[in-house]
């Protein structure tokens, strides 16, 4: 039975258990009783009437609603849904995934703060932390892997930043173990959950302090928005809200509308992404021109046991190495027909990426080797097309290797 609780001028649907139901019906909706819209309206306005501030709702419990750089009802509706999905107390929508990371780092760090992160986090995250060094912020980069992160933890580390599943080699990080070790030295744990999504894992349930998303990827799911989220486990999220307000990194209302529409099918899409990815991974495992396949739920993956323990969905990303070198990999990359050669991932369309020449092109060959990213590596974001068509396209492209 659906129950409604009136909160200021909003309606919150409460007591949903299933992730699918939360994706479709969760969160807060701001409704006009005279119109009866069943879909959250797009509040495309920069200002709100402020004649009686004491009567205005406070969407995040900080200040009354007055200006869309601070808060917006359409954005808040999708924020509250993502907070529910990630088991957080609140979430903040941002203009991109990098805006989410930047805003959170500004809130958490100060001069002489030290951040610990493995080498296989998103490349732009590493570059951002390097650029922040001019403000006196230190970054410790470990080799990839849970044990390397834990072994580098010591007093003086302020923030540990990891990804639940790394890109492009899909290492699954043991979040409970890292959280335990980090909290013992009073470090805050931030988990980028973009690749796994809350359908795969909810890091806050395992003790993480903050979760980051590039909603450009699976959360929106249609390759038509750029957006991000910060999810907090406690009231520290209010301090992050202040920094979003100062930096002006809030999500646009129409973007929020599109993300919310995408979220309604997240559970269905992730199920199909996983089914298709498993079929593609198994095909590639048996192909004579493929040297190695990376997929978390294959028992040959280096973090398979962690994936089996933590992930409820193994996702739609498959990486593989073509036998030979750069020339052979690029032959496959250039000869796919239905699959789109591009960057990014998580949309309905299958996309193939050559990390060494795109997402990781600015890395030195030594750093790419240290992270395990070879010149013959291709990353495939397996879409929602029929798996037979994806496999047939890969098969014909591999003939050119």
């Amino acid at each position: 039975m659906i129950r409604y609780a009136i909160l200021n001028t909003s309606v919150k649907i409460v007591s949903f258990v299933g992730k699918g139901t939360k994706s479709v019906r969760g969160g807060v909706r701001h409704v006009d009783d005279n119109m009866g819209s069943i879909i959250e309206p797009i509040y495309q306005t920069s200002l709100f009437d402020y004649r009686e501030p004491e009567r205005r709702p406070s969407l995040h419990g900080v200040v009354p609603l007055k200006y869309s750089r601070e808060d917006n009802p359409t954005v808040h509706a999708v924020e509250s849904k993502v907070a529910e999905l990630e088991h957080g107390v609140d979430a903040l929508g941002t203009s991109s995934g990098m805006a989410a990371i930047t805003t959170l780092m500004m809130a958490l760090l100060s001069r002489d703060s030290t951040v610990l992160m493995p080498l296989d986090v998103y490349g732009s995250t590493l570059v951002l932390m390097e650029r922040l060094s001019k403000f006196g912020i230190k970054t410790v980069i470990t080799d990839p892997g849970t044990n390397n992160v834990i072994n580098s933890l010591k007093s003086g580390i302020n923030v540990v930043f990891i990804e639940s599943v790394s890109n492009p080699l899909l290492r699954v990080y043991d979040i409970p173990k890292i959280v335990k070790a980090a909290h013992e030295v009073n470090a805050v744990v931030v988990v980028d959950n973009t690749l796994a999504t809350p359908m795969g894992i909810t890091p806050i349930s395992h003790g993480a302090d903050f979760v980051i998303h590039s909603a450009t990827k699976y959360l929106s799911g249609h390759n038509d928005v750029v957006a991000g989220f910060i999810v907090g486990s406690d009231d520290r999220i209010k301090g992050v809200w202040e920094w979003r307000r100062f930096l002006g990194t809030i999500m646009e209302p129409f973007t929020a509308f599109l993300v919310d529409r995408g979220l309604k099918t997240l559970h269905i899409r992730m199920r199909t992404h996983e089914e298709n990815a498993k079929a593609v991974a198994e095909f590639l495992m048996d192909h004579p021109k493929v040297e190695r396949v990376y997929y978390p739920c294959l028992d040959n993956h280096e973090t398979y046991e962690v994936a089996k323990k933590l992930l409820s969905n193994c996702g739609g990303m498959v990486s593989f190495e073509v036998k030979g070198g750069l020339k052979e990999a690029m032959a496959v990359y250039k000869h796919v027909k239905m699959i789109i050669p591009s960057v990014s991932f998580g949309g309905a369309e299958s996309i193939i990426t050559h990390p060494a020449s795109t997402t990781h092109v600015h890395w030195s060959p030594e750093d790419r080797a240290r992270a395990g990213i070879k010149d013959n590596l291709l990353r495939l974001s397996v879409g929602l097309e029929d798996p037979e068509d994806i496999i047939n396209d890969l098969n014909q492209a591999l003939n050119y290797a």
Side-chain angles (χ1 to χ4, degrees):
M1 179 178 179
I2 299 175
R3 296 187 288 118
Y4 295 88
I6 304 300
L7 303 178
N8 296 324
T9 59
S10 63
V11 174
K12 181 174 178 60
I13 302 173
V14 296
S15 73
F16 290 147
V17 176
K19 289 182 179 180
T21 310
K22 287 178 181 178
S23 296
V24 178
R25 304 293 296 278
V28 169
R29 290 187 57 242
H30 309 83
V31 297
D32 182 335
D33 290 335
N34 294 320
M35 301 302 292
S37 171
I38 66 168
I39 301 299
E40 177 72 14
I42 302 172
Y43 288 87
Q44 193 65 48
T45 177
S46 57
L47 309 175
F48 298 88
D49 185 285
Y50 209 60
R51 192 185 313 273
E52 298 178 299
E54 70 278 2
R55 295 176 63 87
R56 304 302 301 146
S58 178
L59 302 186
H60 288 284
V62 185
V63 298
L65 179 65
K66 64 179 183 293
Y67 189 41
S68 277
R69 176 170 54 80
E70 299 174 342
D71 274 320
N72 178 280
T74 313
V75 179
H76 184 241
V78 71
E79 288 170 335
S80 59
K81 180 179 287 189
V82 170
E84 285 187 30
L85 285 168
E86 283 287 4
H87 297 180
V89 300
D90 202 358
L92 300 172
T94 60
S95 55
S96 68
M98 284 307 301
I101 294 171
T102 303
T103 303
L104 181 58
M105 291 298 105
M106 291 296 98
L108 295 180
L109 302 176
S110 57
R111 177 173 289 277
D112 297 326
S113 291
T114 301
V115 180
L116 175 69
M117 56 178 59
L119 183 62
D120 58 351
V121 298
Y122 177 49
S124 293
T125 305
L126 290 173
V127 173
L128 171 67
M129 298 314 302
E130 289 172 1
R131 300 286 171 85
L132 290 179
S133 65
K134 72 177 185 178
F135 300 114
I137 294 166
K138 305 177 185 69
T139 306
V140 177
I141 307 296
T142 76
D143 284 340
T146 295
N147 290 337
N148 291 320
V149 172
I150 291 174
N151 292 338
S152 299
L153 272 165
K154 59 184 178 181
S155 180
I157 300 290
N158 303 100
V159 174
V160 178
F161 189 107
I162 61 172
E163 296 177 353
S164 50
V165 181
S166 73
N167 171 21
L169 297 184
L170 312 176
R171 296 181 181 98
V172 183
Y173 278 76
D174 197 328
I175 295 170
K177 286 179 66 175
I178 291 173
V179 165
K180 183 176 183 297
H183 286 175
E184 286 174 356
V185 297
N186 297 315
V188 173
V189 178
V190 179
V191 180
D192 186 331
N193 202 32
T194 298
L195 208 149
T197 83
M199 297 301 131
I201 189 171
T202 50
I204 288 173
S205 300
H206 295 285
D209 299 288
F210 292 95
V211 166
I212 290 289
H213 275 282
S214 171
T216 310
K217 315 301 194 297
Y218 287 112
L219 295 193
S220 60
H222 292 81
N223 290 326
D224 55 6
V225 302
V226 176
F229 285 101
I230 307 162
V231 188
S233 64
D234 54 36
D235 276 353
R236 286 174 293 181
I237 192 73
K238 287 188 168 67
V240 185
W241 179 91
E242 290 281 3
W243 275 97
R244 185 186 70 171
R245 172 194 191 187
F246 298 142
L247 294 171
T249 53
I250 191 170
M251 185 183 290
E252 288 286 334
F254 185 63
T255 297
F257 172 82
L258 290 175
V259 173
D260 189 41
R261 185 175 66 168
L263 280 171
K264 292 177 182 181
T265 58
L266 178 63
H267 58 301
I268 298 169
R269 288 188 287 106
M270 291 310 299
R271 193 182 308 144
T272 303
H273 280 304
E274 181 186 47
E275 290 171 357
N276 286 0
K278 284 180 177 177
V280 168
E282 289 168 1
F283 159 75
L284 292 170
M285 283 285 289
D286 294 330
H287 200 283
K289 293 190 178 180
V290 173
E291 188 171 280
R292 185 172 180 181
V293 179
Y294 299 87
Y295 187 66
C297 286
L298 290 179
D299 59 12
N300 69 336
H301 195 279
E302 62 181 291
T303 60
Y304 170 70
E305 293 300 328
V306 181
K308 190 167 65 171
K309 178 177 70 172
L310 294 181
L311 295 184
S312 54
N313 182 292
C314 289
M317 296 283 286
V318 178
S319 293
F320 61 100
E321 293 166 359
V322 181
K323 284 184 179 177
L326 176 62
K327 179 181 177 182
E328 287 74 18
M330 293 308 293
V332 177
Y333 179 77
K334 291 178 178 180
H335 283 92
V336 289
K337 295 178 179 178
M338 182 188 75
I339 299 168
I340 302 167
S342 188
V343 294
S344 197
F345 60 88
E349 298 84 4
S350 291
I351 293 174
I352 195 166
T353 303
H354 181 245
S357 64
T358 55
T359 57
H360 294 74
V361 67
H362 299 298
W363 286 27
S364 68
E366 294 76 21
D367 279 344
R368 286 202 296 269
R370 185 179 162 201
I373 300 169
K374 300 179 181 179
D375 285 346
N376 63 340
L377 179 75
L378 294 172
R379 186 192 74 188
L380 181 65
S381 175
V382 182
L384 303 179
E385 304 95 344
D386 291 320
E388 297 83 3
D389 290 324
I390 302 171
I391 289 169
N392 287 339
D393 194 19
L394 283 172
N395 191 41
Q396 66 83 23
L398 281 161
N399 288 331
Y400 289 90

